[in-house]
Amino acid sequence: MLAFDMQPPSWSAIMHKVMDCDYPGKPSVVFLPMINMNPSDLTCINSTANFIGKRVKAQHCVPIFAFDQPLYWKAMNIIKNEPLNSPLKLVILRLRGFHLEMNFVGGIGHLMEGSRITELHKTVYAPSAVTHITSGKVIAREVRAHFLIYTALMSIILSYIYGIPLPDEIENETGTNDINPANCINTENTDMNAEDLLDELHGADY
């Protein structure tokens, strides 16, 4: 029988064991200059960008600004209208994480507007919600809708390549809703290796 009489180390002792480096010294808090203006005002954005641009130019660094979507658009127009020798031309603008995803999803909805993608969305969601979905305002529903479309398209493609009938085709042949697509798979050629499968994929007539 083992008896452990040793007490576990305190939190400070654990930190001493983990930290194997020199003591960094007493921390300090420095207040940076604050512009007492409306953050969405063009003058505020321009003043902040010029201040940061001059500071990073002296440090030989590249400034990176992360904005929400409305401020991103205003900052981009300001930097675009600056002269070529302006320090603001070195600024890298980017959207914040969530707004970047919204913009990306909204771009898909805009580019696919004439491809009847909204009709596909309406088979799952209400017509009043589809407008917000394709514009990128409802991220969770839009991601789910794209996954559903991807699954449906891949099912059709794989069904054509491997000769596996889709559930609606099986239902038309059997006249029943009790469908198990696994029973309809052609298992005669079960010894197909990876090379034969690759040749069949490449040789498929799309």
Side-chain angles (χ1 to χ4, degrees), residues 1-152:
M1 183 176 179
L2 298 177
F4 296 95
D5 296 332
M6 297 178 58
Q7 295 292 332
S10 61
W11 177 250
S12 60
I14 294 176
M15 293 302 297
H16 277 293
K17 292 181 180 180
V18 173
M19 298 296 296
D20 188 14
C21 59
D22 296 333
Y23 178 63
K26 183 178 179 181
S28 60
V29 179
V30 179
F31 289 95
L32 296 177
M34 182 182 66
I35 302 175
N36 189 16
M37 297 178 65
N38 186 2
S40 61
D41 188 79
L42 293 176
T43 304
C44 179
I45 299 174
N46 189 24
S47 302
T48 306
N50 277 284
F51 174 78
I52 298 176
K54 293 178 181 178
R55 295 293 296 269
V56 298
K57 186 178 180 180
Q59 299 292 332
H60 302 287
C61 300
V62 177
I64 301 176
F65 293 171
F67 288 107
D68 294 341
Q69 193 167 6
L71 298 182
Y72 172 85
W73 179 257
K74 294 180 180 180
M76 184 180 65
N77 289 330
I78 291 175
I79 295 175
K80 181 180 178 181
N81 295 325
E82 288 290 315
L84 295 177
N85 58 352
S86 174
L88 295 185
K89 288 296 184 179
L90 301 176
V91 172
I92 298 177
L93 281 178
R94 62 179 298 270
L95 286 168
R96 294 184 183 273
F98 182 70
H99 287 267
L100 179 63
E101 186 177 2
M102 288 178 57
N103 189 67
F104 177 75
V105 172
I108 295 176
H110 178 72
L111 293 175
M112 303 293 291
E113 186 176 0
S115 62
R116 302 180 65 88
I117 192 173
T118 56
E119 283 73 9
L120 286 176
H121 289 336
K122 289 178 182 178
T123 60
V124 181
Y125 299 105
S128 59
V130 172
T131 304
H132 299 286
I133 291 175
T134 54
S135 62
K137 301 296 183 182
V138 190
I139 293 296
R141 292 184 178 182
E142 178 70 8
V143 171
R144 179 174 178 265
H146 282 300
F147 272 119
L148 291 174
I149 294 175
Y150 170 79
T151 303

Side-chain angles (χ1 to χ4, degrees), residues 148-166:
L148 291 174
I149 294 175
Y150 170 79
T151 303
L153 292 177
M154 287 303 298
S155 300
I156 296 173
I157 294 173
L158 294 177
S159 172
Y160 180 79
I161 293 175
Y162 299 116
I164 304 173
L166 295 173

